[in-house]
């Protein structure tokens, strides 16, 4: 899998958020999309996800060729603003999610709950989870799916020090043979990434 950005730009009203982004994301590599708050990191990630159309330029997925409207089948995403169904239990959430995605090799619902360390909360509704437990759940759902693209925005939001360590273990296990993109402005979230793309270079 490869994602190619060819002179990508995005504007809101008359203001350009970024312009002329020429970049390639390739399998087996980890990328950090960097920039201060409000710089356009999440906007660029939304374009990669197919949620936003670029105002100029061309976006291509090669597998060998995947239309933008079908790319959701090939990617997993987690962000702090992504909502979970609060009324679902953890087990129901996992079972629902994996109706649409396959598990990574060797995993099932029981194994995923074990990775989360939430065996005692498997039948608890998510509305009773702490913000950190919800963030862990989002990350595990994304990372444990068998998809060639993994995109995470501000992955350690709402995580304490122990949660950050857990996140790094998750990355070391599941960020290998895929395109991994981390949107962040905190070094501990992307210090393992091979490449850096700074939004401020494209203003």
């Amino acid at each position: 899998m490869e994602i190619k950005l060819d002179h990508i730009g995005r504007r809101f009203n008359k203001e350009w958020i970024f312009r002329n982004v020429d970049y390639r994301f390739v399998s087996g590599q980890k990328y950090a999309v960097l920039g201060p708050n409000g710089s356009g990191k999440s906007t660029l990630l939304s374009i990669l996800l197919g949620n936003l159309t670029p105002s100029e330029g061309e976006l291509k997925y090669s597998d060998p060729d995947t239309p933008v409207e079908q790319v959701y089948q090939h990617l997993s995403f987690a962000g702090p603003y992504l909502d979970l169904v609060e009324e679902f239990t953890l087990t129901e959430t996992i079972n629902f999610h994996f109706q649409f995605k396959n598990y990574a090799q060797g995993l099932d619902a029981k194994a995923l709950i074990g990775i989360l360390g939430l065996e005692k909360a498997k039948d608890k509704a998510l509305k009773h989870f702490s913000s950190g437990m919800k963030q862990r759940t989002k990350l595990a759902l994304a990372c444990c799916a068998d998809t060639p693209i993994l995109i995470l925005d501000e992955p350690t939001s709402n995580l304490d020090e122990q949660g950050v360590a857990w996140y790094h273990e998750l990355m070391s296990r599941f960020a290998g043979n895929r395109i991994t993109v981390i949107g962040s402005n905190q070094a501990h979230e992307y210090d393992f990434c091979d490449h850096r793309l700074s939004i401020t270079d494209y203003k």
Side-chain angles (χ1 to χ4, degrees):
M1 175 64 82
E2 177 181 300
I3 307 172
K4 184 177 181 181
L5 306 182
D6 184 9
H7 291 91
I8 291 290
R10 176 71 191 191
R11 66 183 175 192
F12 290 110
N13 297 320
K14 295 182 179 180
E15 181 181 356
W16 286 97
I17 308 303
F18 47 76
R19 297 193 78 176
N20 295 316
V21 182
D22 281 306
Y23 209 82
R24 289 172 65 240
F25 300 87
V26 298
S27 294
Q29 299 293 307
K30 306 175 191 70
Y31 301 85
V33 176
L34 308 178
N37 291 339
S39 61
K41 296 188 302 296
S42 296
T43 300
L44 182 61
L45 295 186
S46 291
I47 288 174
L48 294 178
L49 290 164
N51 293 338
L52 272 182
T53 302
S55 302
E56 65 179 7
E58 188 174 17
L59 173 67
K60 289 185 179 179
Y61 306 91
S62 58
D63 190 30
D65 287 303
T66 302
V68 172
E69 59 270 16
Q70 294 179 14
V71 74
Y72 71 92
Q73 300 172 350
H74 302 277
L75 60 81
S76 296
F77 170 70
Y81 43 82
L82 184 69
D83 290 328
L84 297 169
V85 182
E86 298 272 302
E87 290 73 22
F88 280 7
T89 66
L90 176 59
T91 299
E92 289 170 339
T93 298
I94 293 169
N95 290 338
F96 178 75
H97 182 83
F98 286 98
Q99 289 181 37
F100 305 96
K101 301 280 171 68
N102 293 322
Y103 286 100
Q105 187 173 4
L107 294 184
D108 57 16
K110 183 178 180 181
L112 198 156
I113 291 170
I115 289 170
L116 281 166
L118 294 175
E119 291 89 348
K120 293 182 179 179
K122 66 180 182 179
D123 297 318
K124 182 184 291 188
L126 267 58
K127 62 184 177 183
H128 300 304
F129 277 26
S130 68
S131 57
M133 291 166 70
K134 290 177 183 177
Q135 182 64 12
R136 282 192 185 215
T137 301
K138 295 174 191 178
L139 291 171
L141 291 173
C143 292
C144 295
D146 183 17
T147 57
I149 304 170
L150 174 65
I151 298 178
L152 306 177
D153 197 6
E154 300 180 359
T156 65
S157 293
N158 301 314
L159 295 185
D160 57 16
E161 186 175 340
Q162 183 182 18
V164 172
W166 174 86
Y167 159 74
H168 279 278
E169 291 176 12
L170 199 68
M171 290 295 98
S172 65
R173 183 172 176 183
F174 294 107
N177 298 319
R178 63 207 306 187
I179 297 171
T180 299
V181 184
I182 310 293
S184 177
N185 57 13
Q186 300 187 64
H188 70 265
E189 293 184 334
Y190 63 84
D191 54 10
F192 55 84
C193 289
D194 312 294
H195 310 279
R196 312 279 196 267
L197 187 163
S198 178
I199 291 292
T200 56
D201 291 341
Y202 299 94
K203 296 294 185 179

